[in-house]
Amino acid sequence: MRPQRGKRKLFDAAMRLFETNGYFATTVEQIAEQAGVSKGLVYNYFSSKEELLAALIHDATAKMASVAATLEPGDSHEESLSLFIDRYFNLLKAERRFLKLQLTLMLMPELSEIVFEPQQERAALLLATLNAWFRQAGAPQPKRKARVLLAMLDGVALHYLCVYERYPLRSTKPQLIQAAADMCRVA
């Protein structure tokens, strides 16, 4: 089995079991069985269930980094933001189950050490990306504007992942773009 395929099988199995049984009730043996691999292979990749969870979270952070990398000035700032929002929403859709699970895990004090650092890394990456976008767009106080837009994106993500079963992602996009355009003009 190729290393990346083996890890992906373990990630998928762990995510299903964490979501169904909860993190604490899931064992390494169950993850191995669900993935169709030996327990030894799990330990070949990860020294513990905690390390597997951390790898899952870092995988989500890497995916968000690839989305953030798309926010570069293209033909226009509005077009680049539109493409970024599309990719951000696509990531929310593709990773909905895991991102929802991760939000739950963030609230567990026992897991805060595992979840906190990658979450902070992801937030810092998005903040820096949005800050650079606002700076390139000539917005006054770009970091402040980036924080506001990031809070809006986080709110949309929270509603989509946890609050509403059928949250209208697409219909929020024009308002997000308009809010960013307005912030570019306002000090």
Side-chain angles (χ1 to χ4, degrees):
M1 180 179 312
R2 292 185 175 158
Q4 290 303 349
R5 190 179 307 154
K7 278 187 180 181
R8 180 58 42 204
K9 284 178 75 172
L10 291 171
F11 284 173
D12 292 343
M15 188 179 71
R16 279 192 302 275
L17 290 167
F18 293 161
E19 183 180 44
T20 304
N21 304 338
Y23 174 80
F24 293 107
T26 299
T27 65
V28 172
E29 292 82 7
Q30 291 169 323
I31 294 168
E33 184 179 322
Q34 178 82 29
V37 301
S38 70
K39 184 177 167 184
L41 184 63
V42 176
Y43 286 114
N44 185 48
Y45 288 115
F46 308 104
S47 64
S48 64
K49 183 172 72 169
E50 292 79 14
E51 188 177 303
L52 171 56
L53 175 61
L56 261 171
I57 294 168
H58 282 287
D59 183 61
T61 299
K63 289 175 183 173
M64 185 57 76
S66 69
V67 169
T70 65
L71 187 57
E72 294 189 10
D75 294 335
S76 76
H77 290 300
E78 186 176 302
E79 286 178 20
S80 65
L81 184 61
S82 177
L83 179 61
F84 167 76
I85 291 172
D86 285 341
R87 290 187 175 156
Y88 182 85
F89 286 172
N90 288 339
L91 179 67
L92 290 179
K93 288 177 186 176
E95 300 293 327
R96 184 176 191 160
R97 288 177 51 223
F98 176 70
L99 293 171
K100 188 174 183 174
L101 173 66
Q102 188 174 340
L103 284 172
T104 304
L105 296 174
M106 285 175 56
L107 300 175
M108 296 180 180
E110 307 91 335
L111 298 175
S112 64
E113 284 185 35
I114 296 171
V115 178
F116 182 77
E117 183 184 322
Q119 194 66 24
Q120 289 294 306
E121 181 183 327
R122 196 175 314 156
L125 170 70
L126 286 173
L127 181 60
T129 301
L130 291 171
N131 183 34
W133 183 86
F134 275 110
R135 198 173 339 103
Q136 290 167 350
Q141 301 176 335
K143 191 167 187 176
R144 182 177 293 167
K145 310 273 170 85
R147 286 187 189 284
V148 171
L149 186 55
L150 182 56
M152 294 168 117
L153 289 169
D154 284 347
V156 168
L158 181 63
H159 281 202
Y160 175 73
L161 296 171
C162 298
V163 178
Y164 301 104
E165 189 61 34
R166 300 176 75 89
Y167 187 78
L169 283 177
R170 292 287 164 219
S171 66
T172 63
K173 180 181 170 185
Q175 285 78 24
L176 289 168
I177 291 172
Q178 185 61 54
D182 291 347
M183 285 188 273
C184 285
R185 290 188 293 272
V186 177

